[in-house]
Amino acid sequence: MATAKKPAAAAKKPVAKAAPKAAPKKAVAAPKKVAAAPKAVAKPAVKTVAKAAPKAAPKKAVAAPKAAAKPAVKRTPNAAFMKPLTPSAALAEVVGAKPLPRTEVTKKVWEYIKKHNLQNPENKRNIDADDKLKAVFGGKKQVSMFEMTKLISGHLK
């Protein structure tokens, strides 16, 4: 609303300035021009008001198609996540030696963690490392699940 008030105020200023300029012309010019000058001044004021209303309406109309277009677009997998990467020797003991995409490596590490019951029972976001995972986690006994993915990425080439 604040932006709507500013253009209206700006429109009033040119009208006020146009009136004093028209006054000297009235005295010098013929009476026919005097009649034309007020009409010209009145028309821009009406047009600016008329222009402001249509501008507001298209913005609302444009917003609706954008919202409708977003659900229609299907997500495509990122190629970087799908690229097969070779795990290091330490990580290969957990997930296997053959190249796997980053997403599959994370899934296999989680399978290993759940199979060997390595999640901390008090705080399930923490993983208690066994001997194989300690090598992957850089010798740490306990790692958060968010730190785990960072440490795993260092073992993929």
Side-chain angles (χ1 to χ4, degrees), residues 37-126:
K39 287 181 182 177
V41 172
K43 286 181 182 177
V46 174
K47 285 182 182 178
T48 55
V49 173
K51 286 181 183 177
K55 285 182 182 177
K59 287 181 183 177
K60 291 179 183 177
V62 172
K66 284 183 182 179
K70 285 184 181 179
V73 178
K74 285 190 174 182
R75 292 182 61 185
T76 57
N78 188 345
F81 285 117
M82 303 313 285
K83 180 182 175 187
L85 299 169
T86 307
S88 67
L91 186 59
E93 291 179 17
V94 178
V95 298
K98 80 177 192 183
L100 294 167
R102 194 176 296 270
T103 53
E104 291 297 318
V105 170
T106 305
K107 284 181 187 177
K108 291 207 178 218
V109 170
W110 272 109
E111 286 174 14
Y112 180 85
I113 290 168
K114 289 182 180 182
K115 181 180 176 184
H116 292 91
N117 197 23
L118 298 175
Q119 274 185 295
N120 188 338
E122 295 170 6
N123 186 356
K124 298 219 175 216
R125 289 180 291 186
N126 291 337

Side-chain angles (χ1 to χ4, degrees), residues 15-41:
V15 173
K17 289 179 181 178
K21 289 180 182 178
K25 290 181 181 179
K26 288 180 185 177
V28 177
K32 291 181 182 178
K33 289 184 181 178
V34 172
K39 287 181 182 177
V41 172

Side-chain angles (χ1 to χ4, degrees), residues 5-15:
K5 290 180 181 178
K6 289 180 183 178
K12 289 180 181 178
K13 288 180 182 178
V15 173

